[in-house]
Structure formats: C-alpha cells, structure tokens
C-alpha cells in the first residue's frame, strides 16, 4: 500500500519566505525520511527522524513527527531560489522494512 | 567518485524488446533497490536485495527481474517491453534495511 503521501502537490513562494510541506502515512513506522530531487536527478537524503523523536533540525530545515496523527512536516526557512526542487517523504514501516514514497511536493522559490 | 552509478542514462527502444539497466555502488552497502518513477513523479519500490534475500513488490510484472552478480551490483532486466514501462528507473543502496538511501541519477526509459 502507498505510504508517505505529501501535501501540497505544488507550492510556490517568494525567496526569503518559509516553505512547509506535509506528509501523511498509514501504518506504524520505524522511521521517516525526507529527500530532495532536483529536476533530472536522483533523490538526495535530507533528514531522518525516528518514530520516538518529535523534532529534528538541520541547517534551515526543521522536521516534525506526530505519530498519533501519522504525519510529518518539513519546514524550510528563509527559502532560496536554489531550494526549488521536489521534496519526498519516505517511510519505513515496522513490518515491510522498505522505504516507500508518494508523489512529492514540487516547491518553486521565485527570486 | 559517484557513489551509486547506473547506466545508461537514456534508453529508447521498441515494444517487445528486452533491455537491461546496470547499477553499481561503491559504498560497501549491503542492500540495493530498484524504484520506478512515473510521469506524475510517484516513486514506487520494485525490488530490494540484501544478502541474496530478494523482496519483490507484488505489483511488479514478472517481466522484470533483478540480477545481482555481487554485493556491489544490482542490474535490472526487462523482457518484452511494453509502452507502460516508460518511466525513470532509479537504483539505490543503503547500509541496512532501515537506513538512509543513496540514489543513482536515474535511467529514462522510453518504449516506442
């Protein structure tokens, strides 16, 4: 079954603004990971958050996890044009032990 | 050095043909994967392969077969290509089954 559904599908903001993307999933998880994909390239890992963690930071990125709501959010602060990309959340469920994704959020940061 | 490399980057072929995509990782990882990304960017796992244990997504047609000559390589062979097989195929690897994935740059397959 499909896991890691991102929302919104597309997001367009001005440079300097914050961008928030959400991810929902269906079953219990081991961990949740956020990835970035530039056009024509492979996915690049950003942050991994474990099921017993609630928040993690990495530079301008902040990830939260709410296991009771089966959801996560990725916040990019002070966005730059170079942040323009697709962002995917992947979840590893307790049983499947495979990272499953959705269709991503296409973020466009306008200069 | 490229951590996960896959070839070719572009593959254009006729329906009914058989083709292979090669993948190699130099990270010393134990687990390798194949993902398919469709035109709507939905990323679907096809296979994972760890120490000769193959986990197949049940929705993958048996025309698709992974072949792993050694731990550093996981090739994807596709028989009797169909129009619906057109997509971008990504190879990835990880140290363990629940860790971070490292992706290749993808193979754009177009079936005419």
């Amino acid at each position: 079954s499909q896991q890691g559904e991102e929302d919104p599908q597309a997001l367009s903001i001005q440079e300097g603004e914050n961008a928030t993307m959400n991810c929902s999933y269906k079953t219990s998880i081991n961990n949740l990971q956020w990835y970035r994909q530039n056009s024509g390239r492979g996915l690049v890992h950003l942050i991994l958050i474990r099921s017993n963690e609630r928040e993690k930071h990495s530079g301008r990125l902040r990830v939260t996890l709410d296991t009771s709501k089966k959801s996560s959010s990725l916040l990019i602060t002070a966005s730059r044009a170079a942040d323009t990309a697709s962002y995917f959340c992947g979840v590893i469920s307790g049983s499947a032990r495979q990272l499953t994704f959705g269709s991503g959020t296409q973020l466009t940061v306008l200069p | 050095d490229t951590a996960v490399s896959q070839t070719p980057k572009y593959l254009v072929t006729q329906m009914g043909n058989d083709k292979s995509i090669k993948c190699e990782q130099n990270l010393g990882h134990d687990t390798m994967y194949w993902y398919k990304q469709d035109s709507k960017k939905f990323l679907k796992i096809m296979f994972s392969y760890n120490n000769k244990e193959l986990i197949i997504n049940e929705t993958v047609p048996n025309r698709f077969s992974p072949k792993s000559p050694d731990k550093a390589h996981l090739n994807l062979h596709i028989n009797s290509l169909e129009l619906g097989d057109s997509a971008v195929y990504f190879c990835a690897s990880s140290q363990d089954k629940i860790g971070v994935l490292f992706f290749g740059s993808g193979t754009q397959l177009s079936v005419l």
Side-chain angles (χ1 to χ4, degrees):
Chain A
S1 62
Q2 189 170 309
Q3 291 258 48
E5 284 289 327
E6 298 87 352
D7 172 67
Q9 289 188 331
L11 179 61
S12 184
I13 59 174
Q14 294 293 134
E15 206 164 27
E17 293 180 339
N18 295 341
T20 299
M21 289 157 271
N22 302 298
C23 171
S24 60
Y25 56 91
K26 297 175 182 175
T27 64
S28 62
I29 61 169
N30 181 289
N31 67 61
L32 184 146
Q33 303 177 28
W34 283 92
Y35 288 76
R36 166 193 170 126
Q37 183 182 33
N38 285 79
S39 181
R41 307 296 295 272
L43 277 69
V44 175
H45 177 258
L46 297 174
I47 289 184
L48 181 153
I49 187 165
R50 294 182 173 79
S51 59
N52 61 353
E53 297 176 314
R54 292 296 167 259
E55 188 170 311
K56 284 190 87 166
H57 296 255
S58 176
R60 293 183 296 113
L61 307 181
R62 173 178 162 239
V63 168
T64 61
L65 178 65
D66 187 335
T67 53
S68 66
K69 295 182 179 178
K70 292 186 169 56
S71 67
S72 173
S73 68
L74 169 67
L75 169 67
I76 304 174
T77 60
S79 63
R80 307 165 182 168
D83 294 329
T84 294
S86 292
Y87 292 81
F88 291 83
C89 75
V91 298
I92 296 207
S93 65
S95 57
R97 300 284 172 140
Q98 292 182 322
L99 192 63
T100 56
F101 297 93
S103 301
T105 292
Q106 173 62 52
L107 173 67
T108 302
V109 181
L110 303 170
Chain B
D1 287 341
T2 304
V4 181
S5 60
Q6 52 183 110
T7 56
K9 186 160 179 66
Y10 301 98
L11 185 54
V12 181
T13 188
Q14 299 286 330
M15 278 177 56
N17 284 350
D18 302 338
K19 290 293 179 184
S20 292
I21 306 173
K22 295 185 176 181
C23 179
E24 175 182 5
Q25 54 97 2
N26 62 6
L27 297 168
H29 287 167
D30 289 332
T31 308
M32 295 184 73
Y33 311 82
W34 278 104
Y35 283 83
K36 176 182 179 180
Q37 187 171 46
D38 64 22
S39 58
K40 295 184 179 180
K41 292 201 169 183
F42 175 61
L43 203 59
K44 176 179 127 175
I45 187 166
M46 301 175 70
F47 307 99
S48 65
Y49 202 90
N50 173 276
N51 287 332
K52 300 184 180 180
E53 178 192 13
L54 176 63
I55 301 173
I56 302 173
N57 184 306
E58 59 188 14
T59 64
V60 175
N62 58 15
R63 298 181 295 104
F64 291 79
S65 56
K67 298 189 190 303
S68 181
D70 55 58
K71 199 175 82 165
H73 297 84
L74 183 65
N75 304 322
L76 181 64
H77 191 74
I78 315 169
N79 289 328
S80 303
L81 278 155
E82 301 177 356
L83 293 176
D85 297 332
S86 295
V88 182
Y89 292 84
F90 288 97
C91 176
S93 72
S94 65
Q95 182 56 48
D96 55 51
K97 293 180 184 179
I98 62 172
V100 171
L101 267 62
F102 291 78
F103 282 81
S105 57
T107 296
Q108 172 79 59
L109 172 65
S110 299
V111 182
L112 307 177

